[in-house]
Amino acid sequence: MRIILIFLALLILLLGTYNYPVFFGSNPVKHIYKEGTFDHSNESRVDTILKTYISHEIYEINLRELKNLLEEDPWIKNAQIILSPPDMINARISEFEPLFLWNNSLYIDDTGSSIPVNNYYVKDILKISSTKDDQISMYNLYLSIQEIFTSIDITIIELSKDDEMLIILTSGYRFFVRYSDYDLKLKEFTSVYDQFLLTQKSRKIRKNIDLRYPTGFAVQ
């Protein structure tokens, strides 16, 4: 008898799980909250999608379907949907956060994931390009060069490599240096940077600094 009662209780619980409105009444969604930043993703699209679920039965919502729909925006890296009975949905949005622009075609984040530009250009983002090298080795090169420049408070905004030629763009300078010599030549430049500034007139135009000479460098 006890086994039968346990079986019936489990059966009722199972039926109740799949037929919640029948056993416990209707539970339409009344409130939807979203969390996250929307620096690049389409927030109005997210709002429109979420609003369509108002008045839907909360336990009949296909969470996977809603998640996939939100993540169709390439700038939304992850959408987590949480049901908060009896009448609320919470949508937690995590955006794709670009670290740099690669070859003017892909945005790369800190995990190495990428999304295409698709005519959406992020302002004030590091740009890196190369004709032969991969994005990881070029980003590591950028870190190495930026560390050298840190001592003279110069920030790289663009880095490009074409075979042996490196072009390093900063707000005030455009450097030309051979890849095989970049470490030595840039450190030589930073060591005389204070004296270099004393010889330069204050002008707002960007100066070209050619470090490819055997000794010294040329400024234009």
Side-chain angles (χ1 to χ4, degrees):
M1 183 67 178
R2 184 179 179 183
I3 296 177
I4 294 175
L5 290 175
I6 293 175
F7 174 78
L8 289 174
L10 290 174
L11 180 61
I12 292 172
L13 180 61
L14 182 62
L15 290 173
T17 301
Y18 288 95
N19 299 276
Y20 189 93
V22 174
F23 283 83
F24 302 101
S26 178
N27 291 90
V29 174
K30 297 179 181 178
H31 308 284
I32 296 180
Y33 294 97
K34 70 177 188 293
E35 303 175 35
T37 57
F38 295 88
D39 295 327
H40 307 293
S41 57
N42 191 334
E43 185 175 8
S44 61
R45 176 181 177 273
V46 171
D47 289 337
T48 298
I49 292 172
L50 293 176
K51 286 177 181 178
T52 62
Y53 286 83
I54 292 289
S55 298
H56 281 223
E57 285 296 328
I58 193 168
Y59 291 103
E60 294 179 1
I61 294 174
N62 187 324
L63 301 184
R64 174 61 60 179
E65 180 181 86
L66 176 53
K67 172 183 171 68
N68 291 340
L69 186 59
L70 292 172
E71 291 177 355
E72 285 181 3
D73 184 335
W75 285 97
I76 294 180
K77 192 168 186 177
N78 182 56
Q80 183 180 10
I81 312 301
I82 301 172
L83 298 183
S84 298
D87 58 10
M88 186 174 73
I89 294 176
N90 192 336
R92 296 177 180 174
I93 306 298
S94 298
E95 269 196 327
F96 181 93
E97 298 180 2
L99 190 62
F100 63 92
L101 174 62
W102 172 247
N103 280 343
N104 290 316
S105 61
L106 294 173
Y107 290 111
I108 312 296
D109 72 1
D110 59 1
T111 67
S113 298
S114 65
I115 60 173
V117 170
N118 287 337
N119 296 320
Y120 179 85
Y121 294 94
V122 178
K123 294 181 180 179
D124 302 322
I125 190 171
L126 171 66
K127 297 178 181 179
I128 301 178
S129 61
S130 176
T131 54
K132 294 183 178 180
D133 298 80
D134 62 81
Q135 61 198 40
I136 296 176
S137 61
M138 282 299 295
Y139 184 70
N140 288 333
L141 176 62
Y142 154 76
L143 292 176
S144 177
I145 297 174
Q146 185 57 65
E147 184 177 0
I148 297 172
F149 281 151
T150 299
S151 63
I152 56 175
D153 197 27
I154 287 180
T155 301
I156 300 170
I157 56 179
E158 289 187 31
L159 174 65
S160 64
K161 182 174 183 287
D162 186 358
D163 289 329
E164 179 68 4
M165 171 63 68
L166 277 179
I167 300 177
I168 307 163
L169 191 67
T170 72
S171 58
Y173 308 106
R174 180 184 287 107
F175 295 90
F176 299 87
V177 63
R178 291 183 179 87
Y179 172 71
S180 57
D181 296 331
Y182 84 86
D183 188 73
L184 174 63
K185 290 294 184 178
L186 292 177
K187 286 179 179 177
E188 285 180 351
F189 177 79
T190 59
S191 69
V192 298
Y193 184 63
D194 289 341
Q195 296 95 312
F196 167 75
L197 290 179
L198 294 175
T199 66
Q200 302 300 307
K201 295 180 180 180
S202 178
R203 293 188 299 172
K204 292 184 178 180
I205 62 172
R206 181 181 284 120
K207 297 176 181 179
N208 294 321
I209 300 179
D210 195 335
L211 301 172
R212 292 172 292 177
Y213 292 86
T215 59
F217 53 86
V219 180
Q220 295 179 343

